[in-house]
């Protein structure tokens, strides 16, 4: 029998669950607080260019992302490109795009390099990730790579993504990261191939929305859900301002702490399990420039800089997409209460551009066409020790209320492929 289902959140997770339910014949309504769909994968305008608010690539091995993109009719619009990786350390920029360059990499001695290479190879072959949840990433990497390599390479890289929270993060985090990077090289070709869809996620989302519309899905934008309550006959009321609507089931895809606030009937232990999920946030700048800064898609940084990495999207994406300009992302991963969230966009722009000037003497800020800042306090859950044992249950004690989000990605990093897989698994479990 077809159901009347509400989904809170029009990110890739909510959209994919909506697609599956609508294909089964359910009546689906998606409530999204923002002015557009897509959540972390949404797009915005920078200069005259419409592109992703946060940098996104697809790997050849991203079968779930590619499956959805195919279903919405854009498979032929994927572009696959071999990219280069840079490494900025001790004030110098090095290419680290192949084994030879890695072996030449001057900042590490030969023994350290061999141990580092062996660590990455070992992690790529290891299957039992659950064992790694019991040991901190610092202990594990120090044991495998040695103290010096940990201090010189691993600690700055971990701090770049996790801040001081790297100290409580389990080794499963680095295992999942290495597995994903290895998958990029192991999909038939031994080269690292990164992909994007022509037009970026703006186009993917436009097609996604069209497909959902054709299946009768209603997407309600500017609709921040404030409360969710059960009715006496087992249905669920969704409250948005003065409006209440009744559904057979509701799926919340928002961050765990938001979900805890929305459902007052959750038990204290359910609430605790949701609010215990610790998130990492991001301040991510998009810079549109007239000139490139490097040939690298990703530049990893181990020195102290105002941002924690550089992603030069125009080293991957055809510059025609950017009107002949270059698009560079400067992410800074921070804890949700970091003082950076209080800085104005102008202050962030000054800091970040000064950082670029220091790193690249040829960089000239007069080449900046536009600069925009995205701030998100809850981006991905930190995989702390024994994380999988404390993950909140997807099925709550409130009848027909489900909470599913990135906290339920257990042995992966946050990416659209994991998100789409989570949606397929949730739907496949036949909970709704
Ligand atoms: C900087 C960055 C780089 C990334 N790079 C890549 C990459 O290279 N490749 C890749 O595959 N993936 C990448 N990702 C990850 C990818 O963006 C995510 O996996 C995916 O977008 C998560 O989707 P989601 O639906 O789970 O969550 P979200 O996108 O966060 O969606 C949740 C939605 O819920 C809405 N919401 C919250 N509260 C309410 C409420 N009360 N009422 C109504 N709506 C509400 C939010 O507005 C949001 O739209 C990146 C992410 C970031 C931030």
């Amino acid at each position: 029998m077809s159901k009347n289902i509400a989904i809170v959140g029009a990110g890739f997770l909510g959209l994919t669950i909506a697609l599956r339910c609508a294909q089964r014949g359910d009546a689906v309504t998606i409530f999204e607080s923002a002015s557009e769909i897509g959540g972390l994968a949404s797009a915005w305008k920078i200069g005259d260019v419409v592109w992703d608010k946060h940098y996104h690539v697809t790997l050849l091995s991203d079968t779930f992302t590619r499956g959805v993109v195919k279903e919405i009719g854009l498979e032929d619009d994927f572009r696959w490109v071999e990219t280069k990786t840079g490494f900025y350390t001790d004030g110098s920029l090095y290419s680290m795009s192949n084994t030879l360059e890695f072996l030449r990499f001057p900042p590490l001695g030969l023994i350290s390099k061999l141990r580092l290479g062996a660590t990455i190879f070992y992690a790529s072959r290891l299957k039992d990730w659950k064992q790694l949840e019991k040991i901190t990433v610092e202990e594990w990497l120090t044991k495998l790579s040695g103290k010096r390599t940990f201090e010189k390479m691993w600690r700055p890289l971990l701090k770049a993504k996790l801040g001081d929270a790297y100290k409580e993060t389990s080794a499963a985090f680095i295992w999942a990261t290495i597995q994903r990077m290895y998958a990029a090289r192991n999909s038939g070709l031994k080269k690292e191939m990164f992909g994007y869809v022509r037009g970026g996620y703006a186009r993917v989302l436009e097609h996604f929305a069209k497909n959902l519309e054709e299946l009768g899905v209603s997407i309600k934008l500017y609709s921040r859900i404030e409360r969710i309550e059960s009715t006496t006959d087992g249905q669920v009321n969704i409250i948005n301002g003065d409006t209440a609507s009744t559904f057979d089931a509701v799926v919340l895809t928002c961050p765990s702490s938001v979900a805890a606030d929305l459902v007052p009937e959750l038990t204290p232990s359910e609430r605790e399990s949701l609010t215990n999920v610790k998130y990492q946030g991001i301040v991510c700048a998009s810079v549109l420039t007239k000139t490139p800064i490097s040939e690298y898609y990703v530049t990893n940084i181990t020195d102290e800089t105002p941002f924690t990495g550089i992603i030069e999207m125009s080293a991957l994406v055809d510059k025609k997409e950017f009107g002949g300009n270059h698009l560079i992302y400067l992410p800074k991963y921070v804890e949700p209460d970091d003082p950076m969230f209080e800085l104005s966009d102008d202050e962030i722009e000054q800091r970040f551009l000064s950082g670029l000037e220091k790193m690249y003497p040829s960089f000239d800020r007069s080449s900046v066409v536009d600069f925009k800042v995205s701030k998100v306090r809850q981006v991905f859950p930190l995989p702390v020790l024994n994380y999988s044992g404390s993950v909140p249950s997807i099925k709550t004690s409130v009848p027909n209320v489900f909470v599913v989000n990135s906290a339920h990605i257990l042995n992966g990093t946050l990416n659209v492929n994991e998100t789409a897989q989570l949606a397929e698994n949730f739907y496949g479990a036949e909970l709704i």
Side-chain angles (χ1 to χ4, degrees):
M1 205 179 71
S2 86
K3 288 182 180 166
N4 189 13
I5 291 173
I7 292 171
V8 178
F12 219 84
L13 182 58
L15 296 174
T16 311
I17 296 172
L19 180 67
R20 295 290 168 253
C21 293
Q23 284 168 335
R24 179 176 71 181
D26 294 333
V28 182
T29 306
I30 308 178
F31 294 92
E32 169 56 54
S33 55
S35 55
E36 77 281 302
I37 63 169
L40 295 174
S42 61
W44 63 6
K45 202 166 175 204
I46 171 155
D48 289 333
V49 173
V50 175
W51 203 259
D52 311 1
K53 231 179 246 182
H54 307 108
Y55 51 93
H56 281 85
V57 284
T58 305
L59 308 190
L60 279 168
S61 51
D62 283 347
T63 47
F64 289 94
T65 309
R66 293 177 68 184
V68 173
V69 169
K70 183 176 177 185
E71 233 176 301
I72 60 175
L74 289 175
E75 192 193 24
D76 294 340
D77 288 38
F78 264 116
R79 296 289 173 267
W80 298 100
V81 181
E82 193 183 342
T83 57
K84 289 186 171 177
T85 302
F87 222 96
Y88 189 87
T89 190
D90 298 334
S92 298
L93 182 63
Y94 302 93
S95 184
M96 268 269 246
S97 308
N98 54 46
T99 315
L100 202 62
E101 286 175 350
F102 173 70
L103 287 172
R104 275 199 213 120
F105 188 57
L108 287 181
L110 187 63
I111 302 286
S112 298
K113 268 186 288 211
L114 291 177
R115 283 188 81 173
L116 181 60
T119 304
I120 295 171
F121 183 74
Y122 174 63
S124 75
R125 290 286 176 268
L126 204 66
K127 293 283 165 258
D128 186 6
W129 60 274
K130 282 221 165 183
Q131 283 304 317
L132 300 179
E133 284 201 318
K134 298 182 186 145
I135 176 167
T136 66
V137 67
E138 178 169 12
E139 264 181 274
W140 195 63
L141 288 175
T142 307
K143 202 169 82 188
L144 291 175
S145 296
K147 200 164 173 52
R148 203 185 121 61
T149 307
F150 181 80
E151 302 289 343
K152 177 81 194 138
M153 301 288 285
W154 287 119
R155 192 201 303 276
L157 292 176
L158 290 172
K159 279 192 90 163
K161 194 86 193 234
L162 306 165
D164 279 337
Y166 82 88
K167 290 178 191 151
E168 353 163 16
T169 302
S170 84
F173 170 80
I174 201 71
W175 173 84
T177 308
I178 292 171
Q179 289 276 323
R180 182 161 170 78
M181 292 336 291
Y182 242 75
R185 288 170 186 267
N186 278 351
S187 322
L189 300 156
K190 287 285 167 196
K191 298 172 192 157
E192 189 172 87
M193 299 290 278
F194 281 164
Y196 66 96
V197 172
R198 265 194 326 115
Y201 266 86
R203 190 136 169 278
V204 171
L205 292 166
E206 191 191 311
H207 277 245
F208 213 148
K210 201 164 147 265
N211 272 256
L212 290 172
E213 241 167 63
E214 281 164 11
L215 288 165
V217 174
S218 162
I219 303 178
K220 296 193 182 302
L221 301 175
Y222 302 102
S223 301
R224 177 174 297 282
I225 298 309
E226 284 150 20
R227 218 168 57 249
I228 285 165
E229 291 170 350
S230 59
T231 67
T232 44
D233 55 0
Q235 288 191 304
V236 191
N237 274 339
I238 292 206
I239 293 121
N240 162 24
D242 295 336
T243 322
S245 350
T246 308
F247 293 88
D248 296 323
V250 56
V251 185
L252 289 102
T253 67
C254 46
S256 298
S257 59
V258 177
D261 284 346
L262 291 185
V263 193
E265 290 165 55
L266 291 173
T267 64
S269 76
E270 283 176 313
R271 193 173 304 288
E272 193 187 340
S273 145
L274 287 167
T275 50
N276 274 350
V277 178
K278 284 183 86 174
Y279 280 85
Q280 185 71 333
I282 196 169
V283 172
C284 187
S286 295
V287 197
L288 193 69
T289 60
K290 288 185 204 140
T291 46
I293 57 166
S294 79
E295 54 182 336
Y296 306 117
Y297 171 66
V298 175
T299 300
N300 295 300
I301 304 174
T302 58
D303 292 5
E304 276 294 323
T305 50
F307 34 82
T308 46
I310 298 178
I311 289 85
E312 194 153 351
M313 196 46 79
S314 29
L316 166 75
V317 173
D318 192 330
K319 281 184 294 296
K320 277 190 233 137
E321 298 269 11
F322 306 135
N325 289 318
H326 300 259
L327 181 61
I328 298 157
Y329 293 89
L330 304 175
K332 168 93 177 160
Y333 288 91
V334 282
E335 287 177 34
D337 57 357
D338 193 279
M340 266 201 97
F341 284 107
E342 309 312 325
L343 293 182
S344 71
D345 289 1
D346 280 346
E347 284 171 297
I348 292 169
E349 178 170 349
Q350 293 315 318
R351 279 190 194 190
F352 281 19
L353 292 183
S354 302
L356 274 187
E357 281 166 343
K358 263 198 188 154
M359 288 176 72
Y360 302 91
S362 61
F363 172 74
D364 177 357
R365 55 173 90 193
S366 68
S367 85
V368 174
V369 178
D370 200 2
F371 189 104
K372 286 185 87 163
V373 181
S374 161
K375 296 176 186 159
V376 189
R377 286 184 196 263
Q378 292 176 311
V379 173
F380 65 91
L382 288 169
V384 293
L385 288 177
N386 302 312
Y387 179 77
S388 64
S390 62
V391 166
S393 165
I394 289 179
K395 187 178 188 310
T396 73
S397 61
V398 183
N400 299 312
V401 175
F402 304 89
V403 178
V404 57
N405 57 35
S406 54
H408 298 99
I409 298 173
L410 293 187
N411 54 351
T413 56
L414 180 70
N415 56 69
V416 172
N417 194 59
E418 290 287 350
T419 300
Q421 183 175 8
L422 187 60
E424 304 292 5
N425 289 347
F426 171 73
Y427 177 76
E430 296 183 6
L431 295 169
I432 48 171

